[in-house]
Amino acid sequence: MDWKTLQGLLSGVNKYSTAFGRIWLSVVFVFRVLVYVVAAERVWGDEQKDFDCNHRQPGCTNVCYDNFFPISHIRLWALQLIFVTCPSLLVIMHVAYREDRERKNREKNGENCPKLYSNTGKKHGGLWWTYLLTLFFKLGIEIVFLYLLHRIWDSFDLPRLVKCDLQPCPNTVDCYIARPTEKKIFTYFMVGASALCIVLTVCEIFYLIFKRVVRSMQKLKKNKKSLTYSKASTCPCHSRMEHDGKLKNSPVEALRASAPNLTVI
């Protein structure tokens, strides 16, 4: 699989991500994709070839291997990385959709026409919901794959010896996994990296929601202030005070003040 292509696509997400999102992307590519490509694939390269059983009955080793490894760790992690990173492409697609709308608006109304968006990459309106939805997708996918890994291999364990009594094995046979300790270490490492990504995703979700709530409260407070000012400006007593102030500054009032005994006709 060409991971460089996927990295090139997702590197554009950094422009629209929060600080937590940038850290998440770094963890994915440094601690998961890089470890997967450089080391994990080689460790599991001899998985089926070196799965050895103490009986040479034709088909017995293959059946026992399929029973204990219904899906390879490597293929499961590859699927997990693909499904986890692909939702981020929705953000890029949404931004591209906004930019296309802006382009069509300029073509239709001229270059000096008002913009539809102040910033096409700013997380407001629909883009905010798209970004939040991708976070929930990533969180759900991470949890599902961790559950599958835990369910298929009991507590992520890889024992040295497994016993198999399936047909066509004539009796219970002992089978041995190649490099069980090394594979267990890589499994725990990948599970830990996945758990770290889950924590970062949860933090980013709370951060986005908290920031949205604070912005809404500030906007509501500002609207209340403007509403209070507009009510005060339309108050009858305020209007009367303004009227009295105008009368005091009128020429007639000034003349009366300078000559109290003068009668103005």
Side-chain angles (χ1 to χ4, degrees):
M1 181 177 179
D2 190 4
W3 293 104
K4 290 183 179 179
T5 304
L6 184 62
Q7 183 180 6
L9 288 173
L10 292 177
S11 59
V13 181
N14 269 337
K15 295 186 294 183
Y16 318 114
S17 299
T18 63
F20 290 106
R22 295 187 183 97
I23 297 173
W24 177 87
L25 197 61
S26 300
V27 170
V28 167
F29 280 105
V30 174
F31 295 103
R32 299 178 72 177
V33 174
L34 192 61
V35 171
Y36 174 89
V37 173
V38 174
E41 280 186 320
R42 297 181 182 180
V43 173
W44 266 267
D46 57 355
E47 187 177 7
Q48 186 172 5
K49 182 179 68 175
D50 292 343
F51 184 82
D52 191 24
C53 297
N54 62 358
H55 201 281
R56 298 305 172 192
Q57 177 72 20
C60 179
T61 301
N62 290 337
V63 168
C64 293
Y65 174 82
D66 182 70
N67 180 61
F68 190 74
F69 291 101
I71 182 172
S72 170
H73 283 69
I74 290 296
R75 293 176 179 84
L76 188 66
W77 287 333
L79 287 174
Q80 183 181 10
L81 289 172
I82 292 171
F83 282 119
V84 162
T85 52
C86 281
S88 300
L89 298 177
L90 291 174
V91 178
I92 299 177
M93 293 171 63
H94 197 136
V95 174
Y97 166 75
R98 283 185 165 188
E99 291 174 349
D100 185 63
R101 285 195 65 191
E102 283 286 2
R103 180 183 58 81
K104 291 180 178 178
N105 182 51
R106 288 195 303 269
E107 290 177 355
K108 183 178 180 180
N109 301 316
E111 292 293 333
N112 297 324
C113 65
K115 291 184 177 182
L116 298 176
Y117 307 98
S118 58
N119 185 356
T120 55
K122 200 167 185 179
K123 291 184 288 295
H124 285 315
L127 185 60
W128 186 87
W129 286 104
T130 301
Y131 193 92
L132 188 66
L133 189 63
T134 60
L135 293 179
F136 279 110
F137 276 150
K138 290 190 290 187
L139 183 63
I141 291 167
E142 292 278 21
I143 293 173
V144 167
F145 274 91
L146 277 183
Y147 174 77
L148 288 175
L149 198 65
H150 171 77
R151 183 74 175 176
I152 296 173
W153 298 281
D154 187 23
S155 300
F156 317 111
D157 189 30
L158 287 171
R160 292 181 174 85
L161 172 67
V162 293
K163 294 185 177 294
C164 178
D165 56 356
L166 300 175
Q167 293 294 332
C169 300
N171 48 36
T172 301
V173 298
D174 297 332
C175 297
Y176 302 91
I177 301 173
R179 304 178 186 175
T181 304
E182 189 175 12
K183 290 178 179 177
K184 186 185 296 186
I185 291 172
F186 271 102
T187 301
Y188 287 156
F189 181 85
M190 296 296 280
V191 168
S194 182
L196 178 58
C197 288
I198 289 176
V199 173
L200 289 172
T201 303
V202 171
C203 290
E204 189 171 13
I205 289 173
F206 279 109
Y207 171 76
L208 280 177
I209 295 176
F210 175 76
K211 193 174 179 181
R212 182 68 176 264
V213 170
V214 170
R215 189 185 297 117
S216 299
M217 290 177 66
Q218 289 176 347
K219 189 176 180 181
L220 185 63
K221 190 175 180 180
K222 187 177 179 181
N223 291 338
K224 282 185 177 180
K225 284 184 177 180
S226 61
L227 184 62
T228 304
Y229 177 77
S230 63
K231 285 183 177 180
S233 62
T234 56
C235 179
C237 59
H238 184 76
S239 301
R240 188 173 179 179
M241 288 175 63
E242 288 183 349
H243 181 69
D244 292 344
K246 290 179 180 178
L247 288 176
K248 287 181 180 180
N249 295 327
S250 65
V252 175
E253 292 296 324
L255 186 61
R256 283 180 176 175
S258 59
N261 298 324
L262 181 65
T263 303
V264 179
I265 300 174

